[in-house]
Amino acid sequence: MTVNIALLGFGTVASGVPFLLQENSTKITAQAGTDIQIAKVLVRDVAEKDVLRAQGHAYDFVTDISAILNDDAIDIVIELMGRIEPAKTFITQALQAKKHVVTANKDLLAMHGADLLKVAKDNGVALYYEAAVAGGIPILRTLAHSYTADKITKILGVVNGTSNFMMTKMVDEGWTYDEALAEASRLGYAESDPTNDVDGIDAAYKMVILSQFAFGMTIKFDDVRHEGIRHITPEDVKLAQKLGFVIKLVGEIVERPSGIYAEVVPTFLPKDHQLATVNGVMNAVFVESIGINEAMFYGPGAGQKPTATSVVADVIELAKGIQKGAVLPAFNTFARETVYATKEDLVDKYYFAIETDDKAGQLLHLAELFHAENVSFEQVFQENLGDNRASIAIIAHKMDLNQFDSLVEKISALDGFTLRNTIKVI
Amino acid sequence: MTVNIALLGFGTVASGVPFLLQENSTKITAQAGTDIQIAKVLVRDVAEKDVLRAQGHAYDFVTDISAILNDDAIDIVIELMGRIEPAKTFITQALQAKKHVVTANKDLLAMHGADLLKVAKDNGVALYYEAAVAGGIPILRTLAHSYTADKITKILGVVNGTSNFMMTKMVDEGWTYDEALAEASRLGYAESDPTNDVDGIDAAYKMVILSQFAFGMTIKFDDVRHEGIRHITPEDVKLAQKLGFVIKLVGEIVERPSGIYAEVVPTFLPKDHQLATVNGVMNAVFVESIGINEAMFYGPGAGQKPTATSVVADVIELAKGIQKGAVLPAFNTFARETVYATKEDLVDKYYFAIETDDKAGQLLHLAELFHAENVSFEQVFQENLGDNRASIAIIAHKMDLNQFDSLVEKISALDGFTLRNTIKVI
Ligand SMILES: NC(=O)c1ccc[n+]([C@@H]2O[C@H](COP(=O)([O-])OP(=O)(O)OC[C@H]3O[C@@H](n4cnc5c(N)ncnc54)[C@H](OP(=O)(O)O)[C@@H]3O)[C@@H](O)[C@H]2O)c1
Ligand SMILES: NC(=O)c1ccc[n+]([C@@H]2O[C@H](COP(=O)([O-])OP(=O)(O)OC[C@H]3O[C@@H](n4cnc5c(N)ncnc54)[C@H](OP(=O)(O)O)[C@@H]3O)[C@@H](O)[C@H]2O)c1
């Protein structure tokens, strides 16, 4: 028996698939219990086809998706084009044609995953996507199969390699945000428009997907508060270091008595926290639960081979099931009604970086403002910036999200004060 | 439908099973697709039964294994008694009675796993044991289901909590081995006879099991070179620190062109290696492969709840399969002929701690001896110990295992020299 697959797109990740199928063919065939063949590859146009042929690729390249949809020999379609359209349409059509689908498309899954999973279910086929979160780290299958007896209470993730690379340079080398971004671009980690990476959008997509596997709930993308790393300065980094912290962009999902909540925000992590040593482009997902208590899954968040390895692992799981002939299990079967936490239930410490005129009474203003919100200072650092300006850094005691939002609003509105940045403290 | 389980033994881990079944009952029932009931519990004798009853446990306690073996309602037997016998006999009988078995018994699996797996196969049932390696870390299922497309080249594991707790105290606090052992005993981490933990035996058991999942080969326990932490002194630790290393007891399995090899030895780990920050009783398994490249799985290696969580996850996987009525998949399906690496193929750097009389020419003696083995020094540290004794610490350049063994033999035989310790350098 042979399981036939079709690739949609032949870019970075997709071209890693044939590498693995060949390099590890003996193991893959043994594990899958069958040969796995690349039957067709969808490329954009005839020009791309010609270029790939000239490079020595001898696949059956097609430029029309219907050549794949109508091919009954194809069991599994692997979407690796990226973006929302035409990926969404092609995946939908493939599922409707009773083909199993594997994808690494986190944007699409975060925005339209529920719809696609419904189409899969209605058509008795499966949609797997291990590579969509933290590319090379086998985190989704682990949550789905090894946390079945456990109750997860918190997920902390460093799940965007580009921003983590930048933060590592900013922390270890004292670089500015602009210097770090320039280096990330030079190395090909950052795209010409780095918004998705540096503003926490990509990490927020991944929180949506993780919320489904870890908590059985679906947090909508628009409900994931996200804040990026653009406003972090060498001063923030230095103060963090002085206090025994490193700063990272951390995605967090928590379940509180009232419900769940997710955000992606710059975070002060204690130096001895297991996530604090996740550096460069590496990713990690830290899981707190009532059974296992604390565990961490560390590895590459991206890259051709790591991501293709996760994709092919999905294909192998599907291939095993296809031979049995039974309906394949859904990738994730944990589902509860989604209930959001109330803001009163979300309590954290925060760092506030504020600039103001270097004159008497400014700190008193702030102290009154915090006092009015019932939040007290844990530590305060004041520094003269020259030009009659001063920087005031405040680490405040725990507050709930209402208090935090209110403080941000009030400080921002305060005449003569600039709220330069806020950072969560773990 | 209800899946009925029987517990053999009701000690630390076993008594965590009812906790999870109750605490997470909704999720567990949903994930398993069925109720899971504890039908019977085997205890040692009537006295233990009475004690447990008096504590409020209302299970159907039995003292004779045949009450479980002959009970057709029981689908899964969970062995949590430990040791080889009678666990081996009971598991064999349970498998022969066509019951699936879950165990956490690493000693038994390392010594007789192949036999038991054969009995399971012959009887069309499954034997699962996620908790046997690094208790709470879901490493075995991950290797079996997420590394299917990958080729693993190296495993590094900190997989014994007791010795890692001790090494952490020795590194962070400068404690001696004896001080660390006393504290480990006081906290209940070390047993009255700590041999298995401090001499690397327990970690070696785990290397046997990991070799099967990661490499598809079975390294025999007797072929796992193992050396413990008894000989590590504060001087070794200090020198390591000075050179940017921490010392840990590390299990390693490598595949080289000639075959595979496993050992458990004290190791100098670079401070920025991901394993270097795995402290206290925590465990981690670091995996190098051609696809994912580098990944690490971190978590508790023991403890009632983490270990019971892995046990119940196995039960849930079995319960899912039982309902389908098909033959359940083996826990690990990766198997190749076992081929051992040649010693020439195993090349590492080593640290040698030597004591000798404090007189001229001693270092020259050693230099000649290393030179004769074609091994050169990378760094040498000589220190006066008083009483006319000197300590010589040598970090030697890479050598193969023949050279290493020969050096150890020759230094040990050298008149007036004591080879105090050797430590691998990663
Ligand atoms: N790269 C990673 O490390 C990584 C990690 C995790 C997840 N992912 C996800 O994996 C997916 C693929 O990423 P990638 O890095 O491989 O992207 P990529 O290198 O840009 O490859 C995408 C390929 O698809 C082609 N394509 C786009 N639209 C097409 C269409 N309508 N018909 C045929 N071909 C089309 C593109 O051609 P053109 O170049 O002509 O547009 C390109 O060759 C994305 O969803 C990404 O988010 C990637
Ligand atoms: N504890 C952990 O964190 C951990 C982690 C990973 C794996 N494991 C493994 O899990 C297994 C159980 O460990 P544990 O810590 O739970 O051990 P434990 O606390 O000593 O429990 C074992 C229980 O089994 C009972 N038992 C022994 N022989 C019996 C027999 N013939 N009939 C009935 N009951 C019998 C013992 O009774 P007596 O006390 O009367 O002997 C004891 O109550 C071991 O294989 C261990 O290696 C444990």
Side-chain angles (χ1 to χ4, degrees):
Chain A
M1 166 173 191
T2 295
V3 164
N4 286 302
I5 60 178
L7 293 169
L8 310 189
F10 201 70
T12 309
V13 178
S15 55
V17 171
F19 163 82
L20 285 170
L21 289 179
Q22 184 170 350
E23 185 70 19
N24 289 339
S25 63
T26 315
K27 179 175 178 183
I28 290 173
T29 305
Q31 291 284 286
T34 167
D35 269 348
I36 295 172
Q37 294 289 346
I38 300 177
K40 280 179 183 153
V41 178
L42 179 78
V43 293
R44 190 185 285 284
D45 49 32
V46 176
E48 190 184 358
K49 199 194 278 200
D50 292 343
V51 170
L52 291 168
R53 286 243 175 89
Q55 287 170 357
H57 295 290
Y59 300 106
D60 185 358
F61 290 110
V62 300
T63 53
D64 181 352
I65 185 72
S66 53
I68 290 168
L69 299 174
N70 298 331
D71 184 343
D72 286 341
I74 291 172
D75 306 288
I76 303 171
V77 168
I78 307 179
E79 183 279 305
L80 291 168
M81 308 183 301
R83 321 227 163 183
I84 303 297
E85 284 297 352
K88 180 163 176 263
T89 301
F90 290 178
I91 290 177
T92 305
Q93 290 172 334
L95 295 168
Q96 285 165 342
K98 317 278 184 219
K99 299 181 189 312
H100 306 287
V101 173
V102 175
T103 177
N105 195 328
K106 56 221 151 206
D107 324 25
L108 177 59
L109 290 161
M111 303 308 261
H112 305 284
D115 297 344
L116 295 174
L117 287 165
K118 189 172 179 312
V119 178
K121 197 175 176 198
D122 289 348
N123 286 280
V125 286
L127 172 63
Y128 283 14
Y129 41 95
E130 176 66 85
V133 174
I137 308 177
I139 181 66
L140 298 182
R141 181 162 286 113
T142 299
L143 292 171
H145 290 273
S146 296
Y147 274 88
T148 43
D150 207 348
K151 179 179 159 61
I152 293 173
T153 50
K154 187 188 281 187
I155 292 270
L156 294 174
V158 171
V159 292
N160 180 271
T162 307
S163 58
N164 198 46
F165 169 83
M166 290 172 58
M167 281 311 311
T168 303
K169 290 293 180 196
M170 289 162 72
V171 170
D172 289 356
E173 323 278 348
W175 289 7
T176 63
Y177 169 85
D178 289 327
E179 288 165 342
L181 180 58
E183 179 70 357
S185 302
R186 201 183 64 77
L187 293 170
Y189 297 149
E191 294 173 51
S192 52
D193 176 3
T195 307
N196 273 15
D197 292 325
V198 301
D199 288 343
I201 295 167
D202 174 76
Y205 289 144
K206 291 162 182 169
M207 292 303 120
V208 172
I209 299 170
L210 282 171
S211 73
Q212 296 163 332
F213 283 72
F215 298 90
M217 297 192 186
T218 299
I219 300 191
K220 287 213 196 74
F221 173 76
D222 290 336
D223 294 322
V224 184
R225 181 190 282 242
H226 55 91
E227 172 116 12
I229 61 171
R230 287 184 202 260
H231 304 300
I232 298 171
T233 65
E235 289 65 45
D236 297 330
V237 168
K238 252 182 255 155
L239 187 70
Q241 265 163 343
K242 194 166 129 186
L243 299 172
F245 295 104
V246 297
I247 309 181
K248 291 201 174 286
L249 184 63
V250 177
E252 176 171 355
I253 318 174
V254 285
E255 180 165 359
R256 307 282 308 144
S258 57
I260 66 169
Y261 175 75
E263 66 183 7
V264 177
V265 293
T267 303
F268 275 27
L269 281 171
K271 279 211 176 83
D272 63 357
H273 193 286
Q274 208 57 28
L275 274 180
T277 53
V278 174
N279 287 325
V281 292
M282 297 305 275
N283 280 197
V285 179
F286 188 88
V287 182
E288 292 183 20
S289 61
I290 66 161
I292 296 176
N293 194 18
E294 293 190 348
M296 192 179 86
F297 305 88
Y298 166 92
Q304 181 184 53
K305 286 183 199 169
T307 310
T309 304
S310 291
V311 167
V312 178
D314 280 350
V315 170
I316 292 170
E317 287 299 301
L318 292 172
K320 286 198 264 184
I322 287 169
Q323 293 161 78
K324 293 203 194 122
V327 175
L328 295 198
F331 193 34
N332 173 38
T333 55
F334 184 25
R336 300 183 285 164
E337 194 197 337
T338 302
V339 182
Y340 286 112
T342 60
K343 284 182 155 189
E344 295 74 46
D345 227 1
L346 298 161
V347 177
D348 278 295
K349 279 208 257 187
Y350 288 90
Y351 158 94
F352 295 81
I354 298 163
E355 277 185 31
T356 182
D357 289 339
D358 193 6
K359 62 182 184 196
Q362 297 297 75
L363 187 57
L364 181 63
H365 268 305
L366 289 171
E368 284 168 354
L369 196 152
F370 275 72
H371 183 74
E373 283 300 331
N374 231 336
V375 174
S376 55
F377 293 173
E378 187 175 296
Q379 284 177 294
V380 179
F381 304 85
Q382 183 152 2
E383 206 189 333
N384 191 319
L385 298 173
D387 277 343
N388 274 328
R389 296 286 289 169
S391 121
I392 299 176
I394 295 166
I395 301 213
H397 279 296
K398 288 201 166 175
M399 65 196 80
D400 70 33
L401 207 51
N402 280 324
Q403 291 171 302
F404 173 74
D405 283 346
S406 171
L407 279 172
V408 167
E409 194 184 313
K410 287 186 179 157
I411 301 169
S412 304
L414 207 59
D415 223 30
F417 291 81
T418 310
L419 179 57
R420 200 176 46 67
N421 203 2
T422 61
I423 303 183
K424 191 163 70 178
V425 181
I426 291 195
Chain B
M1 163 170 193
T2 295
V3 164
N4 286 302
I5 61 178
L7 292 169
L8 310 189
F10 200 71
T12 308
V13 178
S15 56
V17 172
F19 163 81
L20 284 170
L21 289 179
Q22 186 171 350
E23 185 71 20
N24 289 339
S25 64
T26 314
K27 178 175 178 183
I28 290 174
T29 306
Q31 292 283 286
T34 166
D35 268 348
I36 295 173
Q37 292 289 346
I38 301 177
K40 278 177 184 156
V41 178
L42 179 78
V43 293
R44 192 186 283 283
D45 48 33
V46 176
E48 190 184 358
K49 201 194 275 200
D50 292 343
V51 170
L52 290 169
R53 285 244 174 88
Q55 287 171 357
H57 295 290
Y59 300 106
D60 185 357
F61 291 109
V62 300
T63 54
D64 181 353
I65 184 74
S66 53
I68 289 167
L69 299 174
N70 298 331
D71 184 343
D72 286 342
I74 291 173
D75 306 287
I76 302 172
V77 168
I78 307 179
E79 184 279 305
L80 290 168
M81 308 182 303
R83 318 221 168 189
I84 303 296
E85 284 296 354
K88 181 163 174 264
T89 302
F90 290 178
I91 290 177
T92 305
Q93 291 171 335
L95 295 168
Q96 285 166 342
K98 317 276 185 222
K99 297 180 188 316
H100 305 287
V101 173
V102 175
T103 176
N105 194 329
K106 55 220 151 204
D107 325 27
L108 178 59
L109 290 162
M111 303 308 257
H112 306 283
D115 298 344
L116 295 173
L117 287 165
K118 192 176 176 311
V119 178
K121 198 177 176 196
D122 289 347
N123 286 280
V125 286
L127 173 63
Y128 284 12
Y129 42 95
E130 176 66 86
V133 174
I137 309 177
I139 182 66
L140 298 181
R141 181 162 285 113
T142 299
L143 292 172
H145 290 273
S146 295
Y147 274 88
T148 43
D150 207 347
K151 179 178 157 60
I152 293 173
T153 50
K154 187 187 282 186
I155 292 269
L156 295 173
V158 172
V159 292
N160 180 270
T162 306
S163 58
N164 198 46
F165 170 82
M166 291 171 58
M167 282 310 313
T168 303
K169 290 294 181 194
M170 290 162 72
V171 169
D172 289 356
E173 323 278 346
W175 288 9
T176 63
Y177 170 85
D178 289 327
E179 289 166 342
L181 180 58
E183 179 72 356
S185 303
R186 200 182 67 76
L187 292 170
Y189 298 149
E191 294 173 51
S192 51
D193 175 5
T195 308
N196 273 15
D197 291 326
V198 301
D199 289 341
I201 295 167
D202 174 76
Y205 288 143
K206 291 162 182 168
M207 291 304 120
V208 173
I209 300 171
L210 283 171
S211 73
Q212 296 162 332
F213 283 74
F215 297 92
M217 297 192 187
T218 299
I219 300 192
K220 287 212 195 74
F221 174 75
D222 290 335
D223 294 321
V224 183
R225 182 190 282 243
H226 54 91
E227 172 117 13
I229 61 171
R230 287 184 202 261
H231 304 300
I232 297 170
T233 65
E235 289 67 42
D236 298 331
V237 169
K238 254 182 251 155
L239 187 71
Q241 265 164 342
K242 193 167 130 185
L243 299 173
F245 295 104
V246 296
I247 309 182
K248 290 200 173 287
L249 184 65
V250 177
E252 176 171 357
I253 319 174
V254 284
E255 179 166 2
R256 306 284 306 144
S258 56
I260 66 168
Y261 175 76
E263 66 182 10
V264 177
V265 293
T267 303
F268 275 27
L269 281 171
K271 279 213 176 84
D272 62 356
H273 192 287
Q274 207 59 29
L275 276 179
T277 52
V278 175
N279 287 325
V281 294
M282 298 304 275
N283 280 197
V285 179
F286 189 89
V287 182
E288 291 183 22
S289 61
I290 67 163
I292 296 175
N293 193 19
E294 293 189 348
M296 191 178 88
F297 305 88
Y298 165 93
Q304 179 183 52
K305 285 184 200 168
T307 311
T309 303
S310 291
V311 167
V312 178
D314 280 351
V315 170
I316 293 171
E317 287 299 302
L318 291 172
K320 285 197 263 184
I322 289 169
Q323 293 161 80
K324 292 202 194 121
V327 176
L328 294 198
F331 194 33
N332 173 36
T333 55
F334 184 26
R336 300 183 286 165
E337 195 196 337
T338 302
V339 182
Y340 285 113
T342 60
K343 284 181 154 192
E344 296 75 44
D345 227 1
L346 298 162
V347 177
D348 276 296
K349 281 209 260 187
Y350 286 92
Y351 158 92
F352 295 80
I354 299 164
E355 276 185 34
T356 183
D357 288 340
D358 194 6
K359 63 184 184 196
Q362 296 297 76
L363 187 57
L364 182 62
H365 268 305
L366 290 171
E368 283 167 355
L369 196 150
F370 275 73
H371 183 71
E373 283 299 331
N374 232 335
V375 174
S376 55
F377 292 174
E378 188 175 295
Q379 284 178 293
V380 178
F381 304 86
Q382 184 153 1
E383 204 188 334
N384 191 317
L385 297 174
D387 278 340
N388 274 328
R389 297 286 290 168
S391 121
I392 299 176
I394 294 166
I395 301 214
H397 279 296
K398 288 202 167 177
M399 66 197 79
D400 69 34
L401 207 50
N402 281 323
Q403 291 171 302
F404 173 72
D405 284 344
S406 172
L407 279 172
V408 167
E409 194 185 311
K410 287 184 180 159
I411 301 169
S412 304
L414 208 59
D415 224 32
F417 290 81
T418 309
L419 180 56
R420 198 175 49 67
N421 202 3
T422 61
I423 301 182
K424 190 162 73 177
V425 181
I426 292 195

